[in-house]
Amino acid sequence: MQRPPLSPRSVIATAADLADAHGLTEVTLSAVARVLDVRTPSLYGHVRDLAALRDGVTILALGELADRAGEAIAGRSGREALRALCDAHRDYARAHPGRWESLQRRAGDAVVRSDEAARSSRGLGAVLRGYGIDESDRVHATRLVGSFLNGFLHLEHVGSFAHSAPPADDSWALLIDRLHGLLAHWHTKDTK
């Protein structure tokens, strides 16, 4: 059987699969070359270096997550949209732990400028607009939601919730409700 030709897409997809199976730290040019049954120098025609390879995995993950989140929040607003967005992230992190891990690293300029990053950002922006949060405050609200998602999903992934009651699912639902309350009252001033 003839091997399909290498392309940037096939190299990055292989790296993403490798990350899901073994963790992002195991994604190296030589590991990807072994999976593809080629010599490492053959990859340099498709990815510049290890940083570009890992950025490619991040861009792939952002695009996949943007698609899932967009489908999940379509036609929803408020608490329903927030829960759908959060569930889409959680489901993705569980299904693709290495790709999710790639989203937890400092990204290069190619990631930041990518269409996939913009699409991913638009999904959360749509949810926050549904709460009436001013554009000037959206960066803060985005950081709040991102901190919740990244913190909870990381702790869940490493098993931090496995040894105590209640189940993580109970906390997940409760914390999304609390996050909804905070976002719904974003502009309420504390007079104390």
Side-chain angles (χ1 to χ4, degrees), residues 11 36 42 99 102 127 154 162 188:
V11 170
L36 292 170
S42 301
R99 286 168 164 90
S102 79
V127 171
H154 172 73
T188 303

Side-chain angles (χ1 to χ4, degrees), residues 9-187:
R9 182 178 299 217
S10 69
V11 170
I12 289 167
T14 300
D17 291 344
L18 187 62
D20 284 342
H22 302 288
L24 188 65
T25 57
E26 297 302 313
V27 174
T28 63
L29 289 164
S30 60
V32 171
R34 275 192 303 277
V35 171
L36 292 170
D37 195 26
V38 298
R39 295 181 54 202
T40 303
S42 301
L43 299 181
Y44 288 108
H46 307 286
V47 291
R48 184 183 68 249
D49 55 19
L50 179 60
L53 179 67
R54 290 184 178 171
D55 277 352
V57 173
T58 303
I59 291 169
L60 174 70
L62 283 168
E64 291 174 345
L65 191 52
D67 291 343
R68 285 184 180 211
E71 289 176 20
I73 67 173
R76 295 185 164 104
S77 64
R79 183 190 317 249
E80 285 185 20
L82 179 64
R83 176 65 191 251
L85 178 85
C86 291
D87 285 347
H89 279 76
R90 191 179 192 202
D91 292 345
Y92 188 79
R94 287 175 167 176
H96 299 289
R99 286 168 164 90
W100 177 262
E101 186 183 353
S102 79
L103 300 173
Q104 311 312 309
R105 57 185 276 280
R106 186 178 181 97
D109 288 339
V111 175
V112 175
R113 291 190 315 265
S114 71
D115 291 338
E116 291 83 355
R119 285 193 305 116
S120 184
S121 178
R122 281 194 297 269
L124 178 54
V127 171
L128 296 177
R129 276 191 304 280
Y131 284 100
I133 296 175
D134 294 335
E135 191 171 337
S136 62
D137 275 352
R138 265 188 232 138
V139 69
H140 305 301
T142 296
R143 289 173 178 167
L144 174 66
V145 174
S147 296
F148 162 68
L149 288 170
N150 293 333
F152 191 100
L153 296 176
H154 172 73
L155 292 172
E156 184 174 47
H157 177 72
V158 299
S160 294
F161 304 142
H163 306 291
S164 62
D169 287 346
D170 292 356
S171 296
W172 180 254
L174 177 73
L175 293 174
I176 290 172
D177 282 345
R178 296 301 184 264
L179 187 57
H180 162 73
L182 184 60
L183 294 172
H185 293 78
W186 187 268
H187 296 294

